[in-house]
Amino acid sequence: MTCRDCKTCTNAAVVRVGQRWMVGLLYLATVGVGFVVKRGFMRHCPTCRHLLSRHLRRADGSFRD
């Protein structure tokens, strides 16, 4: 699913493919440690499963609607 407030979801398709390649190389280079850290210790959006830090927020810290 996509999320309208997520910078990753709203990127162009070419950019998303490049990001997936780079993330795959990172996971390969760190022998999966990067995957465990990202999935285990960082907060994710329940809709699109991307990092919450990639979502747009208002000045008061709440998410845009």
Side-chain angles (χ1 to χ4, degrees):
M1 294 190 71
T2 61
C3 182
R4 66 185 168 114
D5 294 334
C6 180
K7 291 179 187 176
T8 304
C9 289
T10 56
N11 277 339
V14 174
V15 174
R16 285 194 308 263
V17 169
Q19 285 178 335
R20 287 181 184 170
W21 274 93
M22 292 306 294
V23 168
L25 288 173
L26 171 74
Y27 292 160
L28 199 65
T30 62
V31 193
V33 174
F35 179 78
V36 171
V37 168
K38 181 179 181 235
R39 293 292 175 190
F41 298 107
M42 300 177 102
R43 296 180 57 200
H44 293 80
C45 173
T47 304
C48 65
R49 307 262 186 228
H50 291 129
L51 292 176
L52 277 177
S53 61
R54 299 283 298 165
H55 287 66
L56 300 174
R57 296 176 188 251
R58 291 189 190 111
D60 65 355
S62 63
F63 291 106
R64 287 188 177 171
D65 293 38

